Amino acid sequence: MTQACITIKKMTMAYGDFIIQRDLDFKINQGDIFVIMGGSGCGKSTLMMHLIGMIVPSKGDIYYGKENLWGSNASNQRLLLNKTGVLFQSGALLSSMTLGENIALPIAEHTELNKKNIQEIVDYKLSLVGLAGFSDFYPSEISGGMQKRAGLARAMALDPEILFFDEPSAGLDPISSKLLDDLILSLRDNLNATIVMVTHELASIFAIGSNSVFLDPESKTMIAEGDPKKLLKTSQDERVIKFLSRSKKK
Amino acid sequence: MSFYGNWTTGSFSSGVEELLLRLDNHPKIKKLTFSTKKLDDWDSFFMAQLILIMDFAKRKKITIDTKSLPKGIQGLLELAYSVPEREGARKQKKKTSWIELIGNSLLSAKVELKNLVTFLGDLIQSSFSLIKGTGRFRFVDLMTYIQDCGPASLPIVSLISFLVGLILAFVGALQLSLFGAQMYLADLVGLGMTREMGALMVGIIMAGRTGASYAAQIGTMNVNSEIDALKTMGFNPMEFLVMPRMLALILVMPLLCLYADFMGMLGGAAVAIGLFDISSTEYWTRTELAVQLKDVLVGLFKASIFGILIAYSGCIRGMQCGRSASAVGDAATSAVVTGIIFIVISDSLITILFNQLGI
Ligand SMILES: Nc1ncnc2c1ncn2[C@@H]1O[C@H](COP(=O)(O)OP(=O)(O)OP(=O)(O)O)[C@@H](O)[C@H]1O
Ligand SMILES: [Mg+2]
């Protein structure tokens, strides 16, 4: 029996009065590669911001293991969130620091390593995402896709148990995005990490996704969940099939 | 309905609105077909008009036959209607009465006050953790900010405080010469600069220079989700972003103020020596006699307070910044405005207080 890593219970997300999604109810299991799918603007990034504790749900709860994310004090919440690493849709590298400094920042904060060891880890993480040698570049000096990858390296800096990626492969060429899929798989297999990602890349959804949730902007709720490969075969919902098959068969 | 001629953004045509108004008076129409054989050229203008007609027809329950339209137009229409408009997504535009406006601004003033106080509370909390030694920021950051607001702002501080000293001397000299008391020029400039003008001028310069740049820096970080990223890595933005900026200003402001005092006296001396035949030794002796350590310290105290206020207003505006380029501009503007208001109010309060205490 796999363990539930994150549980979402009856959650409603809203910006002010404008409801984005309601009645979200699903589980992310330990070791899952969990895909959040849905059309542009349906609230995937918003859902991710909720999962990482940046936005308070307007209704419902989020559990990390058995602990309610918003049920206890701030320091306890911090402990729960320390297990996570996040790649934002925009990369969100600190623009006043070099890539190396960006990646070193969480390592220096949460470990007792000395400068030299930190730099070794930084170089290793950069080479994992194909950016070896770019340690001294500033985010403004590299391309969008490279910023994305550097953000990925920073998210992985502390080998977190749960990784959140918002469109990791957006802006990457097919070969890099295949490498990215391999990287994600090996993170899961070797570090036993759980991965939650927002993505539109059908190839990688089917290649590595093991569980998913599908958000629909019109009914403003989730309309499907489960293994994307099975969803494609068994789903009765036209919207889901249309999305997963690029509307080849209608 | 048949179209002919050019239907492009460049052509002169009034659109179909009038036609639709006339159609409104014929409730018997149940079906519309289009003929476009004589249509020469079309672009988005034509498409927008077509969509107007389609929406009108939908409201009036008139069936529309689009089959007769060219293939390209049919395809575009299908695209336009393939994703239905999101319910509630279109922003409602409504008129507000002035009573409502007053009410709204009162309510937002209340929210604003709450934000100011909350930020202050957070700030005090982070200062405590800084004192306890658990507050964290990068030492290089502090150094950069000190460099930024210290040495880098010397030129403008020199210019302005020199000129302010000069103006003080001019205005004072004219009055004093009425009583033949030009001798006291040095007292006036010295006391004026150290107790008041030095700190005030440095405060206003730094509010415009550093306060605005703090707001813009932090605001841009907010636009770029950098602040969210910091939070997910377990940093408190208050400690990491605000504290070093505030520390830098608290350290630098008194020094700048001291420098401004000196420059102001230099300006005063220029007027006194150049125009009113006071010798330089005379001027400096009088200054030494008139200005006491106490007066200089009062100015330095004010400058530190202004430093806190500038950093406070710059950082809070940056943190509150919305997620767009214009929001960053607004944040910078309102940081300067807030900063100057804070400076002037606190200056008056401190002056009154010291006056009462006889300092
Ligand atoms: N700060 C905000 N304030 C108000 N509404 C917002 C805000 N951010 C996003 N929204 C709204 O929330 C909805 C969902 O946005 P979100 O960024 O989560 O979409 P998404 O699914 O990630 O889209 P994409 O695939 O294009 O990244 C959008 O319709 C948008 O209008
Ligand atoms: Mg998104």
Side-chain angles (χ1 to χ4, degrees):
Chain A
M1 176 72 201
T2 46
Q3 244 179 312
C5 186
I6 303 179
T7 315
I8 286 82
K9 286 193 181 156
K10 294 220 164 29
M11 186 173 75
T12 296
M13 319 188 289
Y15 287 107
D17 293 336
F18 184 39
I19 292 185
I20 308 291
Q21 290 280 324
R22 62 166 75 88
D23 296 333
L24 298 181
D25 227 330
F26 57 90
K27 278 198 180 83
I28 299 170
N29 291 322
Q30 165 78 42
D32 258 346
I33 295 181
F34 190 92
V35 185
I36 301 173
M37 303 183 284
S40 181
C42 68
K44 303 180 296 295
S45 300
T46 309
L47 174 57
M48 208 183 85
M49 296 300 270
H50 279 76
L51 294 182
I52 57 175
M54 290 291 119
I55 310 180
V56 198
S58 52
K59 258 192 229 140
D61 292 299
I62 299 171
Y63 290 86
Y64 270 62
K66 291 205 162 43
E67 302 217 43
N68 189 336
L69 187 57
W70 293 98
S72 54
N73 56 12
S75 64
N76 200 18
Q77 186 187 35
R78 193 62 257 153
L79 279 183
L80 295 177
L81 294 177
N82 273 348
K83 293 191 260 180
T84 64
V86 184
L87 164 67
F88 287 84
Q89 188 164 12
S90 60
L93 297 166
L94 300 180
S95 44
S96 58
M97 301 183 197
T98 63
L99 299 193
E101 288 172 330
N102 260 291
I103 300 167
L105 195 65
I107 308 180
E109 169 72 16
H110 293 287
T111 67
E112 302 293 323
L113 293 175
N114 64 23
K115 269 214 169 100
K116 187 167 155 289
N117 292 10
I118 291 179
Q119 189 57 43
E120 285 158 8
I121 296 184
V122 167
D123 288 339
Y124 161 64
K125 298 285 170 183
L126 277 174
S127 62
L128 272 186
V129 294
L131 285 175
F134 282 93
S135 180
D136 290 332
F137 280 60
Y138 282 92
S140 56
E141 295 168 339
I142 58 176
S143 76
M146 289 160 91
Q147 287 180 12
K148 227 17 188 308
R149 282 184 278 157
L152 199 67
R154 187 180 64 184
M156 303 185 307
L158 290 168
D159 300 327
E161 290 170 34
I162 314 170
L163 278 157
F164 294 91
F165 299 151
D166 197 342
E167 304 196 10
S169 51
L172 298 189
D173 57 283
I175 297 171
S176 315
S177 68
K178 169 74 175 59
L179 285 177
L180 183 73
D181 285 355
D182 295 345
L183 175 66
I184 291 175
L185 276 179
S186 86
L187 284 174
R188 199 251 321 248
D189 296 340
N190 300 326
L191 297 174
N192 204 14
T194 305
I195 286 135
V196 181
M197 63 175 184
V198 175
T199 184
H200 301 296
E201 196 82 20
L202 283 180
S204 70
I205 292 178
F206 290 126
I208 62 174
S210 67
N211 200 353
S212 69
V213 62
F214 190 99
L215 305 182
D216 178 54
E218 279 154 60
S219 51
K220 298 197 172 181
T221 187
M222 49 193 273
I223 53 173
E225 61 178 320
D227 186 334
K229 281 162 290 224
K230 285 193 196 127
L231 268 187
L232 178 62
K233 278 189 210 123
T234 59
S235 176
Q236 304 294 318
D237 200 306
E238 194 192 326
R239 293 163 290 188
V240 180
I241 298 172
K242 212 171 164 181
F243 183 95
L244 288 175
S245 60
R246 300 199 74 185
S247 77
K248 255 177 250 150
K249 49 177 184 184
K250 238 185 187 175
Chain B
M1 196 179 281
S2 56
F3 299 95
Y4 56 90
N6 275 337
W7 284 72
T8 60
T9 38
S11 70
F12 190 72
S13 166
S14 53
V16 295
E17 221 140 55
E18 207 176 310
L19 183 71
L20 290 182
L21 277 183
R22 265 193 282 153
L23 274 184
D24 223 6
N25 300 331
H26 297 276
K28 281 197 201 111
I29 297 177
K30 284 279 165 268
K31 188 169 172 179
L32 267 180
T33 50
F34 300 112
S35 143
T36 51
K37 289 215 179 65
K38 288 189 199 132
L39 182 66
D40 290 335
D41 206 6
W42 59 274
D43 64 6
S44 293
F45 174 69
F46 180 63
M47 293 307 299
Q49 299 302 321
L50 258 188
I51 284 176
L52 269 186
I53 299 173
M54 306 265 291
D55 287 346
F56 170 83
K58 213 179 274 169
R59 256 180 290 137
K60 297 278 165 211
K61 307 213 163 51
I62 300 173
T63 48
I64 281 205
D65 183 12
T66 52
K67 297 229 169 52
S68 52
L69 290 170
K71 271 267 144 47
I73 295 181
Q74 275 186 43
L76 285 173
L77 269 184
E78 205 171 298
L79 260 187
Y81 281 105
S82 66
V83 178
E85 179 164 330
R86 181 102 65 95
E87 199 187 317
R90 196 168 280 219
K91 302 255 165 84
Q92 232 112 62
K93 292 185 197 119
K94 58 171 193 252
K95 268 198 188 145
T96 39
S97 70
W98 58 271
I99 298 186
E100 210 175 335
L101 282 179
I102 296 177
N104 280 344
S105 58
L106 271 180
L107 284 181
S108 61
K110 195 176 128 199
V111 174
E112 164 83 6
L113 194 69
K114 191 174 151 232
N115 286 342
L116 286 177
V117 175
T118 317
F119 194 83
L120 186 67
D122 287 349
L123 199 67
I124 293 172
Q125 223 167 25
S126 335
S127 331
F128 274 128
S129 54
L130 192 74
I131 294 168
K132 275 190 296 185
T134 53
R136 289 140 314 175
F137 55 82
R138 298 197 321 158
F139 194 65
V140 262
D141 285 348
L142 177 62
M143 289 300 148
T144 329
Y145 299 138
I146 288 182
Q147 156 75 27
D148 244 23
C149 56
S153 51
L154 280 184
I156 180 146
V157 171
S158 314
L159 178 72
I160 292 197
S161 43
F162 183 83
L163 291 181
V164 166
L166 199 126
I167 293 166
L168 268 184
F170 250 120
V171 177
L174 288 178
Q175 301 303 316
L176 290 173
S177 62
L178 289 181
F179 313 103
Q182 295 99 315
M183 278 295 293
Y184 292 101
L185 201 56
D187 300 47
L188 185 109
V189 174
L191 284 177
M193 284 312 291
T194 49
R195 285 195 75 104
E196 193 57 50
M197 294 313 280
L200 191 62
M201 280 300 130
V202 169
I204 289 175
I205 294 169
M206 295 310 273
R209 207 178 166 276
T210 309
S213 100
Y214 283 179
Q217 285 165 359
I218 297 182
T220 315
M221 294 185 74
N222 201 5
V223 173
N224 202 9
S225 332
E226 288 175 40
I227 295 185
D228 287 339
L230 272 178
K231 283 188 203 155
T232 60
M233 288 188 283
F235 289 96
N236 180 349
M238 215 53 165
E239 290 169 11
F240 194 83
L241 300 174
V242 178
M243 274 297 143
R245 288 179 165 85
M246 184 164 279
L247 271 185
L249 270 182
I250 293 178
L251 292 177
V252 168
M253 281 291 284
L255 297 178
L256 280 180
C257 174
L258 203 60
Y259 177 73
D261 292 350
F262 175 71
M263 287 308 287
M265 290 180 205
L266 220 57
V271 172
I273 296 166
L275 295 177
F276 293 93
D277 288 337
I278 301 173
S279 78
S280 63
T281 31
E282 226 174 334
Y283 189 86
W284 291 123
T285 348
R286 278 241 52 99
T287 305
E288 258 172 58
L289 277 177
V291 179
Q292 295 169 0
L293 183 62
K294 180 185 81 177
D295 301 315
V296 178
L297 290 183
V298 167
L300 298 192
F301 174 73
K302 281 182 180 173
S304 321
I305 300 287
F306 296 165
I308 298 176
L309 293 174
I310 294 167
Y312 175 74
S313 51
C315 294
I316 190 176
R317 295 304 177 212
M319 295 291 242
Q320 290 171 339
C321 177
R323 295 192 173 234
S324 69
S326 68
V328 175
D330 293 345
T333 312
S334 88
V336 177
V337 175
T338 322
I340 291 181
I341 291 177
F342 280 172
I343 287 175
V344 174
I345 292 178
S346 68
D347 192 19
S348 332
L349 290 180
I350 295 173
T351 308
I352 294 172
L353 186 71
F354 280 180
N355 199 321
Q356 293 295 316
L357 294 176
I359 299 177

